[in-house]
Amino acid sequence: MNKSFVLALLLATALALQISHKAAFISHEAALDLAALRASELSRHNAKRALHGTPSLTLSDSLNTAAQTYADYLATNHVFTHSPSAKNGTYGENLYWGWGYPSKTYKDGEATESWYGENVNYDYQTGAAKQTGKVIGHFTALVWKAVTQVGFGFALVAEQGGFAVYVVANYSPTPNVRGQYVANVPAPV
């Protein structure tokens, strides 16, 4: 059976039951093909990294587990904040939230494209944002040369009258280290 059809059927069923934005989490195993999503996101990450001459990443089981646990937490609790492990520097973390009505279909690489889009704000000469207040940290984490492993988590949930997807990417070793931007975020080759 077509994965898109299964996802659409699950979403239609949830709407028919009039699930509110506080409704129970839709199991990621039932609604999302995690292996395919992780493979696609890894491929997108590595394609963006290749543009900057940084080495390809490999998937880490432990980072996948941490990212999935946290994506489930975000979706279940309808919050959007970094994990304690990311805040204390255990690993780097990018977060993405997308929403749709009456359903939300996650497009391959949607999170990676969003994070990479911050490259327009990055000054490769100074290793800082071109303008104060411009966000660059998702982009720099994605292409950070010293990072070797990544893990992804995806969660789909009824939210705000529609459906939301939460995506978590965890990076190791930790990127975005002060004083190391110029050495780890090269200009496109």
Side-chain angles (χ1 to χ4, degrees), residues 49 55-58 60 62-63 85-86 89-93 140-151 169-177 180 184:
R49 291 174 64 84
S56 292
L57 301 176
T58 59
S60 159
S62 63
L63 291 174
S85 294
T90 302
Y91 44 72
E93 183 175 79
T140 56
L142 194 159
V143 300
W144 196 265
K145 186 187 296 186
V147 169
T148 59
Q149 295 185 314
V150 65
N170 290 147
Y171 303 94
S172 182
T174 304
N176 295 347
V177 178
Q180 297 181 18
N184 280 283

Side-chain angles (χ1 to χ4, degrees), residues 25 27 32 69-70 90 93 101 125 132 157 172 178 180 188:
F25 173 71
S27 169
L32 300 172
T69 299
Y70 198 61
T90 302
E93 183 175 79
Y101 173 83
Q125 302 283 326
T132 303
V157 66
S172 182
R178 288 183 194 195
Q180 297 181 18

Side-chain angles (χ1 to χ4, degrees), residues 64-122:
N64 278 338
T65 298
Q68 189 59 56
T69 299
Y70 198 61
D72 291 343
Y73 170 83
L74 293 173
T76 300
N77 293 286
H78 306 282
V79 296
F80 194 70
T81 185
H82 284 287
S83 69
S85 294
K87 289 177 182 176
N88 73 21
T90 302
Y91 44 72
E93 183 175 79
N94 278 351
L95 303 178
Y96 175 83
W97 179 86
W99 182 86
Y101 173 83
S103 66
K104 172 63 184 159
T105 301
Y106 183 78
K107 297 178 187 90
D108 284 352
E110 188 174 320
T112 299
E113 293 300 324
S114 174
W115 298 327
Y116 187 79
E118 294 174 5
N119 71 325
V120 299
N121 301 326
Y122 186 74

Side-chain angles (χ1 to χ4, degrees), residues 1 20 25 39 43 52 84 108 135 147 149 169 173:
M1 190 177 290
S20 74
F25 173 71
S43 176
H52 296 265
D108 284 352
V135 178
V147 169
Q149 295 185 314

Side-chain angles (χ1 to χ4, degrees), residues 14-45:
L15 282 174
L17 296 172
Q18 298 178 1
I19 295 176
S20 74
H21 75 287
K22 298 248 183 206
F25 173 71
I26 297 172
S27 169
H28 58 78
E29 291 88 0
L32 300 172
D33 181 344
L34 294 178
L37 286 169
R38 286 179 178 140
S40 176
E41 215 69 38
L42 176 65
S43 176
R44 298 286 178 131
H45 265 55

